[in-house]
């Protein structure tokens, strides 16, 4: 390679590496702002602010959804399988909302530990399968056979 | 082998040589690309099974994923071309960046738009400022920036260098898009397709998707050749071979 070209290439590589380090450090420093939501463990350990609107995200705990008879209020527990936080929400839930599914709720954490949400979003996981496959998986699981863990 | 790559690389220095090669490849790229893309889309949109939770709304993936793939791949190709522009001062590399930047912008927009349309029924919102969506929006702005800068500088050589520097600076965003769903918690789900693992999607869904992705890649190749040829003719209009070509009726 021509020495001038080699020099240009070296300069470019150095500049790119420097840029990557700068951006990497910046995003690392801002990671809590870039994170879309707090998980229940962070909320339980007091990392989440009490006086601001925040998002809480995790999995809806199996058997935790309690619907009100009077209105659209629903209470459920969001868990990351270490800690969990109770979420109260009044409104229409997205179609994908279900026990065992991921959610991201936006609202305020009240001092009594209940998270009062004004928006609940469903989070889809990376698994895509036709209904027959998931039915077969559930059947296999029910019969005690070892099914691959599709939902974590 | 190395010798062959070097010789091929040096040939790219000649716009005339590229013009001829492109003319030979284009019918194949167009035909195979169209067949694959149409097959993937018809199969995916009409015949693939519905998804267990999302029903039919997941089918937008057959447009969303190919456009998002291409939007990022095109930027990486542009970055490689930018290095070639800066180090070897090769005109064809700059022509490539100019030819494909608008294509990349359109595909990025398409990925964002189809994602929003899918997000409304699935997540319950059109848009959320999570790391994946935001970094993809930044990619769209980078494309806009490149397109604007392309025409902002009149001098061909300094324009080529300016555009190349901008493209290179922006390439830092690509790994951020790719790993955003792993580094931070986002509403967007993590990658379904990984190089090291088998896809977490049923084969009757990912095979048509693969067809659509490959088809779009080939169609992009065709469009890139076509747009580069146009630009070559414009820039070399005073040369002997272009005049001969025009006299022969453009064949």
């Amino acid at each position: 390679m021509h020495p001038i070209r080699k020099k240009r290439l070296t300069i470019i590589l150095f500049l790119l590496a420097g840029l990557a380090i700068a951006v990497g450090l910046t995003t690392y420093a801002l990671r809590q702002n870039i994170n879309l939501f707090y998980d229940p463990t962070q909320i339980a350990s007091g990392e989440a602010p009490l006086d601001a609107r925040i998002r809480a995200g995790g999995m809806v705990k199996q058997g935790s959804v309690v619907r009100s008879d009077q209105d659209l209020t629903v209470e459920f527990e969001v868990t990351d399988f270490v800690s969990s936080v109770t979420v109260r929400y009044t409104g229409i839930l997205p179609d994908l909302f279900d026990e065992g599914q991921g959610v991201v709720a936006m609202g305020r954490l009240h001092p009594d530990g209940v998270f009062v949400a004004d928006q609940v979003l469903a989070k889809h996981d990376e698994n895509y399968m036709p209904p027959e496959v998931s039915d077969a998986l559930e059947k296999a699981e029910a019969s005690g056979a070892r099914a691959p863990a599709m939902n974590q | 082998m190395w010798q062959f790559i070097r010789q091929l690389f040096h040939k790219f220095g000649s716009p005339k040589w590229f013009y001829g090669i492109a003319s030979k490849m284009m019918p194949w790229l167009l035909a195979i690309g169209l067949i694959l893309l149409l097959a993937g889309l018809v199969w995916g949109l009409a015949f693939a099974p519905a998804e267990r939770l999302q029903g039919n709304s997941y089918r937008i993936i057959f447009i969303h994923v190919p456009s998002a793939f291409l939007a990022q791949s095109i930027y990486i190709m542009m970055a490689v071309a930018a290095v070639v522009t800066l180090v070897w001062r090769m005109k064809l590399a700059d022509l490539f960046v100019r030819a494909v930047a608008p294509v990349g912008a359109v595909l990025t927009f398409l990925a964002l738009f189809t994602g929003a349309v899918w997000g409304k029924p699935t997540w319950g919102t059109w848009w959320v400022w999570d790391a994946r969506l935001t970094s993809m929006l930044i990619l769209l702005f980078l494309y806009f920036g490149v397109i604007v800068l392309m025409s902002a500088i009149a001098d061909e050589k300094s324009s080529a260098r300016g555009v190349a520097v901008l493209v290179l600076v922006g390439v830092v965003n690509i790994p951020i898009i790719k790993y955003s769903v792993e580094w931070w918690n986002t509403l967007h789900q993590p990658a379904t397709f990984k190089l090291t693992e088998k896809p977490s999607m049923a084969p009757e869904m990912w095979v048509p998707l693969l067809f659509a992705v490959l088809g779009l890649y080939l169609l992009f190749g065709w469009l890139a050749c076509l747009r580069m040829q146009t630009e070559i003719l414009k820039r070399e209009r005073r040369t002997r071979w272009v005049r001969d070509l025009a006299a022969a009726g453009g064949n």
Side-chain angles (χ1 to χ4, degrees):
Chain A
M1 204 192 272
H2 198 280
I4 289 182
R5 287 174 185 161
K6 201 170 243 172
K7 204 173 104 193
R8 283 187 201 144
L9 190 62
T10 323
I11 293 173
I12 290 172
L13 289 180
F14 265 106
L15 287 180
L16 264 188
L19 193 68
I21 292 168
V23 172
L25 289 175
T26 313
T27 49
Y28 182 74
L30 291 174
R31 66 194 176 283
Q32 197 51 70
N33 301 52
I34 298 173
N35 276 334
L36 186 73
F37 53 83
Y38 291 93
D39 52 42
T41 307
Q42 287 172 309
I43 293 173
S45 67
E47 263 183 64
L50 276 174
D51 49 352
R53 251 162 70 89
I54 56 165
R55 288 198 186 91
M59 203 69 91
V60 180
K61 204 174 188 172
Q62 291 287 352
S64 74
V65 178
V66 183
R67 286 175 205 271
S68 154
D69 304 330
Q70 316 291 321
D71 55 7
L72 287 171
T73 301
V74 57
E75 261 190 40
F76 52 91
E77 280 186 36
V78 170
T79 177
D80 59 358
F81 304 107
V82 180
S83 318
S84 57
V85 59
T86 305
V87 175
R88 189 184 301 139
Y89 172 66
T90 307
I92 296 166
L93 291 161
D95 289 350
L96 248 67
F97 179 90
D98 202 358
E99 291 175 357
Q101 290 292 320
V103 286
V104 174
M106 184 149 187
R108 272 171 206 279
L109 191 61
H110 281 218
D112 58 354
V114 174
F115 188 89
V116 179
D118 48 53
Q119 184 191 37
V120 172
L121 302 176
K123 187 167 162 34
H124 187 258
D125 59 19
E126 70 272 35
N127 301 306
Y128 290 77
M129 52 180 141
E132 308 89 71
V133 177
S134 67
D135 288 350
L137 277 178
E138 269 162 32
K139 226 177 260 173
E141 221 165 323
S143 67
R146 254 181 51 130
M150 293 304 282
N151 283 315
Q152 28 169 315
Chain B
M1 181 69 190
W2 181 238
Q3 202 59 33
F4 173 74
I5 293 172
R6 264 185 78 156
Q7 277 172 3
L8 190 73
F9 184 70
H10 285 294
K11 277 188 184 156
F12 273 103
S14 152
K16 185 186 170 190
W17 174 83
F18 176 80
Y19 190 96
I21 277 285
S23 296
K24 277 188 205 127
M25 288 190 322
M26 277 166 64
W28 296 100
L29 290 172
L30 180 63
I32 303 173
L34 264 186
I35 290 169
L36 279 176
L37 185 65
L38 281 178
L41 285 183
V42 172
W43 185 357
L45 296 180
F47 298 105
E51 213 267 337
R52 88 203 132 114
L53 297 170
Q54 305 169 51
N56 281 320
S57 66
Y58 93 96
R59 290 182 200 278
I60 207 160
I61 203 176
F62 294 105
I63 298 168
H64 177 74
V65 168
S67 356
F69 255 61
L70 256 291
Q72 294 168 68
S73 304
I74 291 173
Y75 202 92
I76 295 173
M77 294 182 229
M78 278 167 55
V80 173
V83 172
V84 175
T85 303
L86 289 175
V87 176
W88 284 273
R89 305 275 194 256
M90 195 183 277
K91 269 194 254 168
L92 210 58
D94 178 50
L95 280 184
F96 174 78
V97 172
R98 276 158 208 275
V100 303
V103 184
V106 168
L107 288 172
T108 311
F109 176 79
L110 198 61
L112 285 168
F113 180 78
T114 52
V117 171
W118 175 81
K120 185 63 187 164
T122 314
W123 295 336
T125 183
W126 299 99
W127 183 266
V128 64
W129 290 100
D130 85 345
R132 171 57 72 81
L133 275 63
T134 310
S135 55
M136 205 60 189
L137 187 66
I138 292 174
L139 181 69
L140 182 65
F141 292 157
L142 279 169
Y143 274 123
F144 285 163
V146 170
I147 293 169
V148 170
L149 192 62
M150 263 162 33
S151 47
I153 307 169
D155 177 56
E156 231 172 63
K157 274 181 189 159
S158 37
S159 172
R161 269 175 234 175
V163 167
V165 169
L166 177 61
V167 169
L168 268 184
V169 168
V171 82
V172 180
N173 189 38
I174 295 292
I176 295 182
I177 297 177
K178 167 93 177 94
Y179 293 106
S180 54
V181 288
E182 290 173 30
W183 290 341
W184 302 290
N185 49 38
T186 54
L187 190 59
H188 194 288
Q189 65 270 26
T192 296
F193 303 97
K194 294 185 190 112
L195 280 179
T196 49
E197 288 164 45
K198 71 180 207 224
S200 32
M201 179 185 263
E204 56 268 48
M205 294 172 177
W206 68 253
V207 174
L209 186 56
L210 183 70
F211 276 39
V213 170
L214 290 178
L216 195 61
Y217 263 103
L218 294 179
L219 273 186
F220 161 73
W222 169 76
L223 191 58
C225 285
L226 185 70
R227 290 177 60 88
M228 283 172 79
Q229 280 193 332
T230 314
E231 192 68 23
I232 287 172
L233 289 183
K234 219 158 82 189
R235 284 207 186 172
E236 312 259 307
R237 61 186 178 277
R238 289 193 191 85
T239 60
R240 183 70 188 263
W241 71 273
V242 173
R243 282 164 189 243
D244 288 349
L245 202 67
N251 290 308

PDB file of all heavy atoms in Angstrom, chain A residues 67-71 73:
ATOM      1  N   ARG A  67     -59.448  -8.010  38.719  1.00  0.00           N
ATOM      2  CA  ARG A  67     -60.251  -6.991  38.061  1.00  0.00           C
ATOM      3  C   ARG A  67     -61.363  -6.530  38.990  1.00  0.00           C
ATOM      4  O   ARG A  67     -61.947  -7.327  39.709  1.00  0.00           O
ATOM      5  CB  ARG A  67     -60.850  -7.538  36.767  1.00  0.00           C
ATOM      6  CG  ARG A  67     -59.818  -7.664  35.666  1.00  0.00           C
ATOM      7  CD  ARG A  67     -60.397  -8.327  34.435  1.00  0.00           C
ATOM      8  NE  ARG A  67     -59.345  -8.965  33.656  1.00  0.00           N
ATOM      9  CZ  ARG A  67     -58.656  -8.344  32.699  1.00  0.00           C
ATOM     10  NH1 ARG A  67     -58.929  -7.099  32.414  1.00  0.00           N
ATOM     11  NH2 ARG A  67     -57.708  -8.978  32.042  1.00  0.00           N
ATOM     12  N   SER A  68     -61.660  -5.227  38.931  1.00  0.00           N
ATOM     13  CA  SER A  68     -62.721  -4.673  39.762  1.00  0.00           C
ATOM     14  C   SER A  68     -64.085  -4.989  39.150  1.00  0.00           C
ATOM     15  O   SER A  68     -64.218  -5.083  37.934  1.00  0.00           O
ATOM     16  CB  SER A  68     -62.514  -3.165  39.875  1.00  0.00           C
ATOM     17  OG  SER A  68     -63.731  -2.526  40.124  1.00  0.00           O
ATOM     18  N   ASP A  69     -65.107  -5.164  40.014  1.00  0.00           N
ATOM     19  CA  ASP A  69     -66.462  -5.387  39.492  1.00  0.00           C
ATOM     20  C   ASP A  69     -67.094  -4.073  39.063  1.00  0.00           C
ATOM     21  O   ASP A  69     -68.025  -4.056  38.262  1.00  0.00           O
ATOM     22  CB  ASP A  69     -67.356  -6.015  40.578  1.00  0.00           C
ATOM     23  CG  ASP A  69     -66.751  -7.293  41.124  1.00  0.00           C
ATOM     24  OD1 ASP A  69     -66.040  -7.959  40.348  1.00  0.00           O
ATOM     25  OD2 ASP A  69     -66.979  -7.614  42.304  1.00  0.00           O
ATOM     26  N   GLN A  70     -66.628  -2.953  39.646  1.00  0.00           N
ATOM     27  CA  GLN A  70     -67.283  -1.658  39.447  1.00  0.00           C
ATOM     28  C   GLN A  70     -66.876  -0.996  38.130  1.00  0.00           C
ATOM     29  O   GLN A  70     -67.712  -0.549  37.371  1.00  0.00           O
ATOM     30  CB  GLN A  70     -66.916  -0.696  40.591  1.00  0.00           C
ATOM     31  CG  GLN A  70     -66.952  -1.304  41.977  1.00  0.00           C
ATOM     32  CD  GLN A  70     -68.361  -1.629  42.402  1.00  0.00           C
ATOM     33  OE1 GLN A  70     -69.285  -0.873  42.125  1.00  0.00           O
ATOM     34  NE2 GLN A  70     -68.555  -2.781  43.046  1.00  0.00           N
ATOM     35  N   ASP A  71     -65.562  -0.933  37.880  1.00  0.00           N
ATOM     36  CA  ASP A  71     -65.085  -0.180  36.711  1.00  0.00           C
ATOM     37  C   ASP A  71     -63.930  -0.935  36.053  1.00  0.00           C
ATOM     38  O   ASP A  71     -63.772  -2.136  36.258  1.00  0.00           O
ATOM     39  CB  ASP A  71     -64.688   1.241  37.124  1.00  0.00           C
ATOM     40  CG  ASP A  71     -63.664   1.229  38.263  1.00  0.00           C
ATOM     41  OD1 ASP A  71     -63.195   0.124  38.610  1.00  0.00           O
ATOM     42  OD2 ASP A  71     -63.344   2.300  38.784  1.00  0.00           O
ATOM     43  N   THR A  73     -60.875  -0.743  36.596  1.00  0.00           N
ATOM     44  CA  THR A  73     -59.655  -0.820  37.396  1.00  0.00           C
ATOM     45  C   THR A  73     -59.156  -2.265  37.485  1.00  0.00           C
ATOM     46  O   THR A  73     -59.943  -3.191  37.655  1.00  0.00           O
ATOM     47  CB  THR A  73     -59.907  -0.274  38.811  1.00  0.00           C
ATOM     48  OG1 THR A  73     -60.345   1.068  38.702  1.00  0.00           O
ATOM     49  CG2 THR A  73     -58.647  -0.337  39.656  1.00  0.00           C
TER      50      THR A  73
END
